[in-house]
Amino acid sequence: MVAIHCTHSNLMKKMIELKFDLHTTIGDLKARLHMHCGTPASAQRLILRDGGQDIAHLDDDSKMMGFYSIESGMTIHIIDTDPFSMSRGGGLEDVSLIQKYKMDDETYEARKGTVRQWIKEQKEADPNWKPPKQNNFSGNPWEKQPPPAPGAAEEIETGPETVAGMEVGMRCECQPGARRGEIAYVGEVAGLSGGGHWLGVRFDEPVGRSNGVVKGETIFECMERYGGFLRGKNVTVGDFPEAELDLEDTDEEEDEL
């Protein structure tokens, strides 16, 4: 048994370590190579190579491979003698030569259940409707968007305008969770990451994450878990009397500490 490499005159690919019994005739060898390269046995001319040098022409189909002293690691080069071979000019490897099917607009317009038809129906129902933005990762606008990369989160507004009209002592409702309480602080907090303006809220129930102390400095007074620092966009002031709250855990937010 020997393991030989095979190359082809019309193909870029190289067939690595094909195993043959030395008792295999050259005729049977060609039949097996036909299965690997597509060239019929009758159109094959075989050359045995070793180290890039031609050492024998395998011309006699009746002879066994052992007759030519073939050893593992040698290469058999296949020359395709068929002038009309499908493999000529990249016919079996160059996909750019394949004629693609193209549908004309008239045929596509007549089809049912197409994206074009669906978009037309949406615009007929709502003239202001716009298709979803393209997914920059796959090009499919309807595919679920992947999570944003670290550091690519949407920038949060933190200026004084975000807490305008909110004063200490006002009743409020905070999101997420519709948690109710009273504003206990309005302004900047040096010890909080993200900077900008915060609202310190004293909740009616233990649904917060703070006790009003930031890095050893008391910003406002409250019991443990009765306080929280939130961005203005998550707080609504108004007539919010104390009420029973859902004490289920809420999702963590980057704009609450």
Side-chain angles (χ1 to χ4, degrees):
M1 186 71 68
V2 292
I4 59 174
H5 311 310
C6 293
T7 57
H8 193 281
S9 59
N10 296 341
L11 302 177
M12 296 292 293
K13 74 170 185 176
K14 183 176 182 180
M15 294 156 272
I16 304 297
E17 293 188 347
L18 302 182
K19 295 183 178 180
F20 297 95
D21 191 304
L22 288 175
H23 294 91
T24 302
T25 64
I26 300 303
D28 290 339
L29 170 64
K30 289 180 177 180
R32 285 190 57 184
L33 291 177
H34 177 206
M35 306 299 293
H36 288 278
C37 66
T39 301
S42 59
Q44 294 181 29
R45 185 155 59 87
L46 306 183
I47 298 176
L48 180 64
R49 293 177 174 175
D50 188 16
Q53 300 294 321
D54 295 353
I55 58 175
H57 291 262
L58 311 184
D59 296 330
D60 192 338
D61 289 352
S62 64
K63 292 288 196 298
M64 296 183 182
M65 293 178 64
F67 175 82
Y68 294 97
S69 301
I70 298 176
E71 298 178 357
S72 292
M74 289 184 174
T75 298
I76 292 179
H77 181 63
I78 307 165
I79 297 177
D80 190 333
T81 61
D82 182 2
F84 305 105
S85 173
M86 291 181 59
S87 62
R88 279 188 179 273
L92 296 180
E93 293 180 318
D94 189 353
V95 295
S96 66
L97 300 176
I98 301 174
Q99 185 176 1
K100 278 82 172 176
Y101 172 73
K102 293 184 179 180
M103 183 183 297
D104 58 75
D105 281 345
E106 184 178 350
T107 303
Y108 184 72
E109 195 69 35
R111 291 173 68 94
K112 302 296 182 182
T114 63
V115 173
R116 181 183 296 177
Q117 182 188 42
W118 180 78
I119 292 176
K120 185 183 298 184
E121 292 172 353
Q122 301 307 307
K123 289 185 176 180
E124 289 176 352
D126 179 8
N128 297 319
W129 180 87
K130 293 182 179 180
K133 293 182 179 180
Q134 177 172 306
N135 184 326
N136 292 330
F137 290 84
S138 69
N140 181 358
W142 286 272
E143 182 177 317
K144 183 178 179 181
Q145 296 285 341
E154 181 181 352
E155 185 176 350
I156 300 172
E157 296 291 336
T158 62
E161 68 280 359
T162 62
V163 295
M166 300 181 185
E167 299 177 359
V168 174
M170 286 184 170
R171 291 290 298 173
C172 62
E173 186 174 79
C174 306
Q175 302 299 336
R179 297 165 292 168
R180 294 184 178 183
E182 178 183 290
I183 295 179
Y185 176 83
V186 180
E188 297 181 283
V189 182
L192 292 181
S193 61
H197 287 67
W198 296 87
L199 292 173
V201 177
R202 185 184 296 112
F203 294 113
D204 298 335
E205 300 287 342
V207 291
R209 303 177 189 167
S210 173
N211 60 359
V213 178
V214 178
K215 294 186 177 179
E217 179 183 359
T218 300
I219 307 301
F220 63 93
E221 294 183 354
C222 70
M223 293 185 293
E224 191 69 40
R225 289 186 59 84
Y226 276 78
F229 292 91
L230 299 92
R231 296 297 187 185
K233 72 182 185 69
N234 287 348
V235 179
T236 303
V237 295
D239 183 16
F240 295 107
E242 292 188 24
E244 293 185 4
L245 300 185
D246 184 359
L247 299 183
E248 292 183 0
D249 289 338
T250 57
D251 295 335
E252 293 191 359
E253 296 278 343
E254 291 185 357
D255 45 8
E256 177 180 347
L257 298 169

